[in-house]
Amino acid sequence: MQSRNVRHLPVVSESTGEFIGMLTHKKMIATVLTMLNKYGQGALDRKERYTPIAEVMDTQVQKLGLDEPLTIVVQYFIDNKHALGCLPVVDEQNQVLGIVTSSDFVKLCQRLLLQP
C-alpha cells in the first residue's frame, strides 16, 4: 500500500478470484494500534507478521456494478462518510473490475469546475 500510494485493496479468493473483502489503510492502522496497546512495541513486529488478512479486512462491503448510476455512488459517499471511503466495482461473477474512491469524486469535481 505504501509503495503504490493506495489506501484500499480489494481482497479476492485465491481459488476463484471472487471479491471477498476490502483491506483499508485506516483499518490496518487501527489494528496495529490495538496490537501495540495489547502486546507492546517488542511484540508488535511478530504479531503484525502473523496476522492473517482475513482478520483485518472488511467483509461487509457495498459493491457496485458497471451500470450503477453516479448519483447512487455520490449519495453513498455522502451518507457513509465514515465508511471505507471506496466502493469495489464487480461483474456478474463477483470479479473485481476496479474501485471507486471518494478521492475520485473530488478529482471529478475539480475537472468539472475548471472547464470553461
Side-chain angles (χ1 to χ4, degrees):
M1 291 175 116
Q2 186 175 5
S3 67
R4 302 278 182 160
N5 198 27
V6 295
R7 296 179 299 143
H8 312 93
L9 289 174
V11 180
V12 297
S13 166
E14 284 186 76
S15 59
T16 65
E18 289 184 70
F19 175 78
I20 56 173
M22 187 66 69
L23 184 62
T24 66
H25 187 252
K26 181 178 175 181
K27 183 78 178 264
M28 286 180 63
I29 289 173
T31 301
V32 168
L33 289 175
T34 299
M35 287 178 189
L36 184 60
N37 287 332
K38 188 173 183 178
Y39 303 110
Q41 180 69 38
L44 179 62
D45 187 49
R46 187 177 70 252
K47 289 291 185 185
E48 208 175 6
R49 279 181 211 231
Y50 295 105
T51 300
I53 291 174
E55 288 183 21
V56 182
M57 71 180 185
D58 289 299
T59 56
Q60 302 298 313
V61 179
Q62 172 138 1
K63 300 176 277 186
L64 299 172
L66 279 176
D67 58 348
E68 202 77 49
L70 286 180
T71 54
I72 298 296
V73 180
V74 170
Q75 195 60 52
Y76 171 83
F77 285 126
I78 291 170
D79 294 343
N80 299 284
K81 60 184 170 188
H82 298 293
L84 294 177
C86 71
L87 290 166
V89 180
V90 297
D91 64 14
E92 297 81 23
Q93 290 77 39
N94 205 31
Q95 304 287 314
V96 176
L97 302 172
I99 61 172
V100 177
T101 68
S102 54
S103 297
D104 293 330
F105 278 92
V106 172
K107 292 172 189 172
L108 175 62
C109 287
Q110 179 187 36
R111 275 199 323 244
L112 293 173
L113 291 169
L114 293 175
Q115 285 183 354

